[in-house]
Amino acid sequence: MTQVPAPGSVVVSDWHRCKDSKDYFSKILHKKRRKNFGMKSGVGKTALAARLAGLNIPNMHYETTGIETTVVHWPVKLTENGRVLFFRLQLWDCGENALRRFDHLLPSCKEQVDAVLFLFSFTDRTSFEDLSNQIKKWTEPPLDRVVKLVVGTKYPFENVFR
């Protein structure tokens, strides 16, 4: 069995802030903005994908009608040998109503998956309370070894500075 490395031991976690990373990040920029490698999307889960890809987030909200994909290229530096690698992250965004209506979408989203982002909104308590149900869908074998990340969205910043 392969031994899993300790968190943070494979890549330099703050390398993107270092001066020597700027040359690599400049390769994924066009006119000081990230190059568009994916589809434009809405808000919520879709807004996070758009933000990670450096895309504009539309003002109007709409439900994702099927599966929308966004590709993000992100350079990292390995701690062991200082080598720089580019990760190609393909984010699949699928609306809840579409998952309920079309039985084939969830199995399609689970094929060859490496990681899953679980999102909740700081402004919607029920989305946080539903996290355990969402995570259960992704913890059955063979998905039990998939990386799972929880991300909070729509944080009310105006309350932070009062």
Side-chain angles (χ1 to χ4, degrees):
M1 180 179 261
T2 319
Q3 191 174 33
V4 178
S9 65
V10 177
V11 298
V12 179
S13 61
D14 61 348
W15 174 74
H16 64 284
R17 294 186 176 125
C18 297
K19 190 175 184 176
D20 66 329
S21 72
K22 303 305 177 212
D23 186 45
Y24 294 95
F25 280 93
S26 68
K27 305 282 191 265
I28 59 175
L29 297 176
H30 177 69
K31 296 182 181 178
K32 296 186 180 183
R33 299 199 52 163
R34 278 183 151 297
K35 289 182 182 176
N36 184 354
F37 295 103
M39 299 171 60
K40 292 193 176 185
S41 306
V43 297
K45 296 182 297 289
T46 307
L48 178 64
R51 185 168 301 269
L52 290 174
L55 303 173
N56 291 330
I57 300 170
N59 294 333
M60 276 188 49
H61 173 322
Y62 66 90
E63 170 92 24
T64 304
T65 56
I67 297 175
E68 292 187 11
T69 61
T70 304
V71 176
V72 177
H73 292 85
W74 196 264
V76 296
K77 186 174 186 176
L78 301 177
T79 56
E80 185 178 310
N81 57 12
R83 187 173 163 207
V84 176
L85 301 176
F86 274 85
F87 279 94
R88 182 182 185 275
L89 307 172
Q90 186 177 25
L91 306 172
W92 286 39
D93 175 15
C94 190
E96 290 297 317
N97 286 330
L99 284 176
R100 283 190 217 106
R101 287 182 59 203
F102 304 107
D103 294 339
H104 66 281
L105 288 182
L106 186 58
S108 295
C109 290
K110 289 182 175 183
E111 288 179 12
Q112 300 179 359
V113 66
D114 295 311
V116 178
L117 294 176
F118 298 99
L119 275 66
F120 71 94
S121 170
F122 282 101
T123 60
D124 180 5
R125 183 179 182 93
T126 58
S127 67
F128 180 76
E129 292 168 348
D130 192 44
L131 274 177
S132 60
N133 294 330
Q134 297 296 324
I135 293 171
K136 283 179 190 173
K137 290 181 185 179
W138 295 87
T139 54
E140 306 149 357
L143 300 171
D144 54 340
R145 297 198 50 128
V146 170
V147 175
K148 297 161 196 75
L149 301 165
V150 176
V151 178
T153 62
K154 300 183 183 177
Y155 188 78
F157 284 107
E158 64 275 358
N159 295 333
V160 174
F161 300 107
R162 287 186 180 172

